[in-house]
Structures are given as structure tokens and as C-alpha cells.
Amino acid sequence: MAKIIAIANQKGGVGKTTTSVNLGACLAVAEKRTLLVDLDPQGNASIGLGLDKGSFVKSNIYHAVIGEENIENCIYKSELPLLDICPSDNNLIGAEVELMQAFAREVKLKNALMAVQDKYDYIIIDCPPSLSLLTVNGLNAANSFIVPMQTEYYAMEGLAQLLNTVQLLKENLNPSLRNEGILLTMYDGRNNLSKLVAQEIQKTFPKQTFKTIIPRNVKLSECPSHGKPIIIYDITSKGSEAYLNLAKEIILREREEVNDSSLVDKVINRDRQTSFEDHQL
């Protein structure tokens, strides 16, 4: 079953879509079956993977969320063999209004994704830059979330608002949702402010902040206009190296979690066996 990761930040221009597209691509290169769900009405992730807007007008995430179409029919192949995408367009704006009066409106995406969860190792959800009903759907469908944060002055304020929303969502809808990590983006090592913000975030959230830091990189800015993830556009760039490291960090974390879980199961089984033997005596 797929691990579902929502990429969320209500603040725009922090590298959210760039992270969604390039993390998805790097996971696919690491031989992980990956689905990228574009939940942003702007559809930038769809364009960033080279999809022609006219090709998915009748079948995209909007139609899956409102129940008009099965999500299997809304998924398209990308240039990478193991990376698929469920695209979006500006019709998704209407979903906010249509879902307002809908029953169980917060679980529409979660229910849609259930049909394809067994087909992928990872599902990456690119949430819109707002704390809207679409973002709530994305976070409610996810096992964990990543917060891309630009290393600038107002970053911490936006993070506090998001974590507040997540806490409310955990209490009411998705108690198992966890923070996969805070990802520092657009980092410029020559800029003292970037260094100070990065240090402050790492100090405040030492366990939650990814070791990988995404630098300011011209190639990362260029690749969306070519409809290619950075791994295809320029694999030698610093941006490509950074997102490959991020994918590696996420994969290794999951392996550690699985190993920890296996160890817990072994301890529980051992204690049960000991208890049974004591009872027999």
C-alpha cells in the first residue's frame, strides 16, 4: 500500500509545486512506483511534467473528487516510466463550492485514492497555497505531510498557522497524520538572512527538519517551462542533487520506521510468549 505524502504550505512561492514534481520524479528514479496528485487549481505540477492542458480537460482530479469519474481514468503517464500524474485545471476551483454542501466533504480525495493505493509505493499530493477545503482533503488523505519553507523572514509565521490547522485536523479527522518534515527551500548560502532563518528553524524543530536543504538554483527555475523535472532537465545541477538527497532521506526514514515497527512486534510477541509460558507453569 502506498505511503501518501501531502506537500502543504498556505503561503505561496515557497517551492511547494517544485518539491512535489521533483520529489516525485526522484522517487520514481529510485524505482519507487509514484503517483503525483495535482490538487492545485493552477495546475502547475501538471504543466511541470509536460502535460498538454487540452489532453485532460474531461478527466482529471476535479472529476475524481466530485465523483464524476473513477480516479483510474484520471491518471496519465509521464516521461519517467514509474511516475504517473493525476492532473488538475482551473475547474478545481469549482470543487470548493460544489463540496460545501456535500456529505463527508473532507474525505472525497481519500475515498478516491483508495482505488489506486495498492498500485503505488508513494503518492505525492501537491496541495494549493491556502488552508482551503482542498488542502483539508489533501491532509486528510495523507499519512504524513512535508512543509516547504523559504528561508526568509515571514516563514515561521506561516508555519505556525499551518501546524495549528494540522492539529485541529488530527483531533477531528486524521489522528494518525504526522509531520514528515520541514524542508528548507530557496536557500542562498551567501545571504546572511537565509543562514539565520535556517539556523532558527533547525534549532526550533531539530527532529522535524530535513537534513537536505534545497538551494536557489537557476536550473530549478527553468525546468517547469520545459515541462521536465530537474532530474531529466539537468541531472548534474545542484537542484537535482538536492532532490535526489531528499528522496533518499525519505526512503531511508521509511525503512527505519519499518525496522522499528518490526522490532516492536518482536518484543510484543516475545513478551506474550513469556507470559504464556509463565501461565503454563
Side-chain angles (χ1 to χ4, degrees):
M1 185 173 288
K3 178 174 184 175
I4 305 177
I5 304 174
I7 313 295
N9 193 327
Q10 78 277 16
K11 193 171 182 293
V14 297
K16 182 179 56 60
T17 297
T18 298
T19 295
S20 300
V21 169
N22 290 300
L23 173 59
C26 289
L27 287 170
V29 168
E31 299 185 345
K32 301 294 182 181
R33 298 166 302 162
T34 306
L35 172 65
L36 174 59
V37 177
D38 189 351
L39 202 60
D40 188 343
Q42 297 175 88
N44 289 336
S46 308
I47 297 167
L49 282 182
L51 266 67
D52 177 13
K53 274 195 170 183
S55 65
F56 53 84
V57 173
K58 295 183 180 178
S59 299
N60 58 56
I61 191 62
Y62 163 74
H63 302 94
V65 166
I66 65 170
E68 263 188 21
E69 188 65 85
N70 292 328
I71 197 166
E72 296 100 318
N73 299 327
C74 303
I75 292 173
Y76 300 78
K77 293 290 182 184
S78 77
E79 197 172 341
L80 291 167
L82 294 179
L83 178 62
D84 293 343
I85 179 163
C86 184
S88 77
D89 59 19
N90 55 17
N91 283 321
L92 197 56
I93 298 170
E96 291 273 5
V97 179
E98 292 175 56
L99 292 178
M100 276 298 176
Q101 304 301 321
F103 175 72
R105 60 188 182 182
E106 298 90 355
V107 297
K108 295 297 184 182
L109 179 63
K110 183 177 183 177
N111 291 341
L113 288 175
M114 286 176 69
V116 295
Q117 272 188 270
D118 291 335
K119 297 179 181 179
Y120 297 97
D121 299 306
Y122 288 93
I123 297 176
I124 307 296
I125 303 173
D126 183 27
C127 296
S130 63
L131 296 178
S132 62
L133 184 54
L134 288 174
T135 299
V136 169
N137 262 268
L139 290 169
N140 194 33
N143 306 119
S144 63
F145 64 97
I146 291 174
V147 187
M149 283 185 60
Q150 194 172 356
T151 50
E152 291 188 356
Y153 182 72
Y154 290 111
M156 295 288 280
E157 185 179 335
L159 176 62
Q161 292 173 359
L162 177 64
L163 294 181
N164 228 10
T165 300
V166 168
Q167 187 56 40
L168 290 171
L169 194 138
K170 286 180 71 172
E171 291 170 4
N172 295 285
L173 291 170
N174 188 0
S176 61
L177 179 66
R178 66 180 187 80
N179 187 348
E180 187 75 27
I182 297 165
L183 177 67
L184 299 176
T185 63
M186 303 182 190
Y187 178 78
D188 186 349
R190 301 165 298 179
N191 186 320
N192 284 333
L193 180 60
S194 275
K195 290 180 180 178
L196 288 171
V197 172
Q199 288 169 4
E200 184 63 28
I201 293 169
Q202 289 165 338
K203 181 181 175 182
T204 308
F205 304 97
K207 292 182 179 178
Q208 292 95 340
T209 307
F210 283 105
K211 294 176 183 177
T212 302
I213 296 177
I214 310 300
R216 279 198 180 276
N217 183 247
V218 174
K219 297 295 182 181
L220 273 176
S221 301
E222 291 175 355
C223 62
S225 63
H226 294 268
K228 297 179 183 295
I230 192 65
I231 194 77
I232 295 177
Y233 183 67
D234 188 349
I235 195 172
T236 63
S237 68
K238 288 184 178 180
S240 179
E241 182 183 352
Y243 277 110
L244 283 168
N245 286 335
L246 177 63
K248 181 180 177 182
E249 198 171 341
I250 288 171
I251 292 168
L252 289 176
R253 277 188 183 188
E254 187 174 12
R255 284 179 186 169
E256 288 171 5
E257 288 167 11
V258 170
N259 290 338
D260 288 346
S261 177
S262 299
L263 181 60
V264 169
D265 288 342
K266 285 179 182 178
V267 171
I268 291 171
N269 289 334
R270 182 198 65 194
D271 290 347
R272 282 176 179 166
Q273 183 63 28
T274 301
S275 176
F276 174 76
E277 290 171 354
D278 289 345
H279 180 72
Q280 291 293 98
L281 291 172

